[in-house]
Amino acid sequence: MSTGNIWDSVPPRSNSPLLPGVRSRTVATSRLRQHIYASRTEDGERLLLVPGNASSARFFEELIATLPGYTCVAPDLRGYGASEAKPGDSQRGLRDFCDVREALVEALGWEQFHLLGWSLGGNIVMQYTID
């Protein structure tokens, strides 16, 4: 498993290479180690993609590959894909998911970005925006 600035062309726990323009790595945050899929572009508008429940962020791979003008990051949710399976705080509900997203954004050094969520990710994005 890669951490830090080492990028992979084949994500952990997979034998399938990523599409051109997409890469993968693990980011250590204040909450947990989060595996991300990301675009190779680092100077475009920033877009955080949040997947649905029980799915890997690889769900967004084709979208990331087709948005060359954006700096896309799609994190696997806690315990899915290659992200750490650290216990969450179920009493906080969506806010716990939001805290994990915020820790990632801080680790990436992002201050302004767009959000897009699918299924549960849509709920996380709405709560994140409200908070």
Side-chain angles (χ1 to χ4, degrees), residues 45-71:
E45 285 196 55
R46 294 172 174 164
L47 176 60
L48 183 65
L49 305 163
V50 183
N53 194 26
S55 65
S56 162
R58 194 159 189 179
F59 171 84
F60 290 115
E61 182 180 4
E62 288 184 28
L63 179 62
I64 293 169
T66 60
L67 293 173
Y70 286 82
T71 300

Short mmCIF file of all heavy atoms in Angstrom, two decimals, residues 45-71:
data_model
loop_
_atom_site.label_atom_id
_atom_site.label_comp_id
_atom_site.label_asym_id
_atom_site.label_seq_id
_atom_site.Cartn_x
_atom_site.Cartn_y
_atom_site.Cartn_z
N GLU A 45 -9.61 23.02 -11.63
CA GLU A 45 -10.58 23.24 -10.55
C GLU A 45 -10.70 21.95 -9.76
O GLU A 45 -10.74 20.86 -10.33
CB GLU A 45 -11.94 23.64 -11.13
CG GLU A 45 -11.97 25.06 -11.61
CD GLU A 45 -13.40 25.54 -11.80
OE1 GLU A 45 -14.20 25.45 -10.85
OE2 GLU A 45 -13.68 26.00 -12.91
N ARG A 46 -10.79 22.06 -8.46
CA ARG A 46 -10.81 20.89 -7.59
C ARG A 46 -12.22 20.35 -7.42
O ARG A 46 -13.16 21.09 -7.20
CB ARG A 46 -10.21 21.25 -6.24
CG ARG A 46 -8.74 21.60 -6.39
CD ARG A 46 -8.17 22.13 -5.13
NE ARG A 46 -6.73 22.32 -5.29
CZ ARG A 46 -6.00 23.04 -4.48
NH1 ARG A 46 -6.55 23.63 -3.43
NH2 ARG A 46 -4.71 23.16 -4.70
N LEU A 47 -12.33 19.02 -7.49
CA LEU A 47 -13.61 18.33 -7.38
C LEU A 47 -13.44 17.11 -6.48
O LEU A 47 -12.66 16.21 -6.78
CB LEU A 47 -14.10 17.91 -8.76
CG LEU A 47 -15.38 17.09 -8.84
CD1 LEU A 47 -16.57 17.85 -8.25
CD2 LEU A 47 -15.67 16.71 -10.29
N LEU A 48 -14.16 17.10 -5.36
CA LEU A 48 -14.16 15.97 -4.44
C LEU A 48 -15.38 15.11 -4.74
O LEU A 48 -16.51 15.59 -4.67
CB LEU A 48 -14.18 16.44 -2.98
CG LEU A 48 -14.11 15.35 -1.92
CD1 LEU A 48 -12.77 14.62 -1.97
CD2 LEU A 48 -14.34 15.94 -0.54
N LEU A 49 -15.16 13.86 -5.09
CA LEU A 49 -16.22 12.91 -5.46
C LEU A 49 -16.42 11.94 -4.30
O LEU A 49 -15.46 11.30 -3.86
CB LEU A 49 -15.81 12.15 -6.72
CG LEU A 49 -15.45 13.02 -7.92
CD1 LEU A 49 -14.68 12.21 -8.96
CD2 LEU A 49 -16.70 13.61 -8.52
N VAL A 50 -17.65 11.82 -3.81
CA VAL A 50 -17.92 10.96 -2.66
C VAL A 50 -18.85 9.83 -3.09
O VAL A 50 -19.98 10.08 -3.51
CB VAL A 50 -18.56 11.78 -1.50
CG1 VAL A 50 -18.76 10.90 -0.27
CG2 VAL A 50 -17.68 12.99 -1.16
N PRO A 51 -18.39 8.58 -2.98
CA PRO A 51 -19.19 7.44 -3.46
C PRO A 51 -20.31 7.05 -2.50
O PRO A 51 -20.38 7.55 -1.37
CB PRO A 51 -18.16 6.32 -3.55
CG PRO A 51 -17.19 6.63 -2.47
CD PRO A 51 -17.10 8.16 -2.46
N GLY A 52 -21.14 6.14 -2.95
CA GLY A 52 -22.24 5.63 -2.15
C GLY A 52 -21.79 4.57 -1.16
O GLY A 52 -20.63 4.15 -1.15
N ASN A 53 -22.73 4.13 -0.34
CA ASN A 53 -22.46 3.12 0.67
C ASN A 53 -22.07 1.80 0.02
O ASN A 53 -22.57 1.44 -1.04
CB ASN A 53 -23.71 2.94 1.54
CG ASN A 53 -23.41 2.18 2.81
OD1 ASN A 53 -22.29 2.18 3.30
ND2 ASN A 53 -24.42 1.53 3.34
N ALA A 54 -21.18 1.09 0.68
CA ALA A 54 -20.75 -0.25 0.24
C ALA A 54 -20.16 -0.24 -1.16
O ALA A 54 -20.34 -1.17 -1.92
CB ALA A 54 -21.90 -1.25 0.34
N SER A 55 -19.47 0.84 -1.51
CA SER A 55 -18.82 0.87 -2.82
C SER A 55 -17.46 1.56 -2.73
O SER A 55 -17.24 2.40 -1.88
CB SER A 55 -19.70 1.59 -3.85
OG SER A 55 -19.86 2.95 -3.53
N SER A 56 -16.62 1.16 -3.62
CA SER A 56 -15.31 1.78 -3.73
C SER A 56 -15.44 3.06 -4.56
O SER A 56 -16.32 3.19 -5.40
CB SER A 56 -14.36 0.81 -4.45
OG SER A 56 -13.22 1.48 -4.94
N ALA A 57 -14.54 3.98 -4.34
CA ALA A 57 -14.52 5.21 -5.13
C ALA A 57 -14.09 4.94 -6.57
O ALA A 57 -14.17 5.82 -7.42
CB ALA A 57 -13.61 6.25 -4.49
N ARG A 58 -13.69 3.71 -6.85
CA ARG A 58 -13.36 3.36 -8.24
C ARG A 58 -14.59 3.51 -9.13
O ARG A 58 -14.48 3.59 -10.35
CB ARG A 58 -12.79 1.94 -8.32
CG ARG A 58 -12.12 1.69 -9.67
CD ARG A 58 -11.14 0.56 -9.65
NE ARG A 58 -10.41 0.53 -10.91
CZ ARG A 58 -9.47 -0.33 -11.18
NH1 ARG A 58 -9.13 -1.25 -10.30
NH2 ARG A 58 -8.86 -0.29 -12.34
N PHE A 59 -15.75 3.58 -8.51
CA PHE A 59 -17.00 3.88 -9.20
C PHE A 59 -16.84 5.13 -10.08
O PHE A 59 -17.44 5.24 -11.15
CB PHE A 59 -18.09 4.11 -8.14
CG PHE A 59 -19.39 4.62 -8.67
CD1 PHE A 59 -20.34 3.75 -9.19
CD2 PHE A 59 -19.69 5.97 -8.65
CE1 PHE A 59 -21.55 4.22 -9.68
CE2 PHE A 59 -20.90 6.46 -9.12
CZ PHE A 59 -21.83 5.57 -9.65
N PHE A 60 -16.02 6.08 -9.65
CA PHE A 60 -15.84 7.35 -10.36
C PHE A 60 -14.68 7.34 -11.36
O PHE A 60 -14.37 8.36 -11.96
CB PHE A 60 -15.58 8.48 -9.36
CG PHE A 60 -16.78 8.85 -8.53
CD1 PHE A 60 -16.77 8.65 -7.16
CD2 PHE A 60 -17.89 9.43 -9.12
CE1 PHE A 60 -17.86 9.02 -6.39
CE2 PHE A 60 -19.00 9.79 -8.35
CZ PHE A 60 -18.97 9.58 -6.99
N GLU A 61 -14.03 6.20 -11.55
CA GLU A 61 -12.83 6.14 -12.40
C GLU A 61 -13.07 6.70 -13.80
O GLU A 61 -12.28 7.51 -14.29
CB GLU A 61 -12.31 4.70 -12.49
CG GLU A 61 -11.06 4.57 -13.32
CD GLU A 61 -10.55 3.14 -13.39
OE1 GLU A 61 -11.23 2.22 -12.86
OE2 GLU A 61 -9.49 2.94 -14.00
N GLU A 62 -14.13 6.27 -14.46
CA GLU A 62 -14.40 6.75 -15.82
C GLU A 62 -14.67 8.25 -15.84
O GLU A 62 -14.23 8.95 -16.75
CB GLU A 62 -15.56 5.99 -16.45
CG GLU A 62 -15.19 4.56 -16.80
CD GLU A 62 -16.31 3.82 -17.50
OE1 GLU A 62 -17.13 4.46 -18.18
OE2 GLU A 62 -16.35 2.58 -17.38
N LEU A 63 -15.39 8.75 -14.84
CA LEU A 63 -15.66 10.19 -14.76
C LEU A 63 -14.35 10.97 -14.59
O LEU A 63 -14.12 11.96 -15.28
CB LEU A 63 -16.61 10.50 -13.60
CG LEU A 63 -16.95 11.97 -13.39
CD1 LEU A 63 -17.66 12.55 -14.61
CD2 LEU A 63 -17.80 12.13 -12.13
N ILE A 64 -13.49 10.52 -13.70
CA ILE A 64 -12.21 11.18 -13.47
C ILE A 64 -11.41 11.22 -14.77
O ILE A 64 -10.83 12.25 -15.13
CB ILE A 64 -11.40 10.47 -12.36
CG1 ILE A 64 -12.10 10.64 -11.02
CG2 ILE A 64 -9.97 11.00 -12.30
CD1 ILE A 64 -11.53 9.78 -9.91
N ALA A 65 -11.40 10.11 -15.50
CA ALA A 65 -10.63 10.03 -16.75
C ALA A 65 -11.16 10.98 -17.83
O ALA A 65 -10.42 11.38 -18.72
CB ALA A 65 -10.63 8.59 -17.27
N THR A 66 -12.44 11.34 -17.75
CA THR A 66 -13.03 12.19 -18.79
C THR A 66 -13.10 13.67 -18.41
O THR A 66 -13.68 14.46 -19.14
CB THR A 66 -14.46 11.71 -19.16
OG1 THR A 66 -15.27 11.76 -17.99
CG2 THR A 66 -14.43 10.31 -19.71
N LEU A 67 -12.52 14.04 -17.26
CA LEU A 67 -12.53 15.44 -16.82
C LEU A 67 -11.09 15.97 -16.70
O LEU A 67 -10.64 16.31 -15.61
CB LEU A 67 -13.24 15.57 -15.47
CG LEU A 67 -14.73 15.29 -15.44
CD1 LEU A 67 -15.25 15.29 -14.00
CD2 LEU A 67 -15.48 16.30 -16.28
N PRO A 68 -10.39 16.11 -17.82
CA PRO A 68 -8.98 16.51 -17.76
C PRO A 68 -8.75 17.92 -17.22
O PRO A 68 -7.66 18.23 -16.75
CB PRO A 68 -8.50 16.37 -19.20
CG PRO A 68 -9.74 16.52 -20.02
CD PRO A 68 -10.85 15.93 -19.20
N GLY A 69 -9.76 18.78 -17.24
CA GLY A 69 -9.58 20.14 -16.74
C GLY A 69 -9.78 20.28 -15.25
O GLY A 69 -9.66 21.37 -14.69
N TYR A 70 -10.09 19.18 -14.58
CA TYR A 70 -10.36 19.20 -13.14
C TYR A 70 -9.32 18.40 -12.38
O TYR A 70 -8.78 17.43 -12.89
CB TYR A 70 -11.75 18.62 -12.84
CG TYR A 70 -12.88 19.53 -13.21
CD1 TYR A 70 -13.35 19.60 -14.52
CD2 TYR A 70 -13.47 20.35 -12.25
CE1 TYR A 70 -14.38 20.45 -14.87
CE2 TYR A 70 -14.51 21.21 -12.60
CZ TYR A 70 -14.95 21.25 -13.91
OH TYR A 70 -15.97 22.10 -14.24
N THR A 71 -9.06 18.80 -11.16
CA THR A 71 -8.26 18.02 -10.24
C THR A 71 -9.25 17.25 -9.39
O THR A 71 -9.86 17.79 -8.46
CB THR A 71 -7.38 18.94 -9.36
OG1 THR A 71 -6.53 19.70 -10.21
CG2 THR A 71 -6.56 18.15 -8.37
#
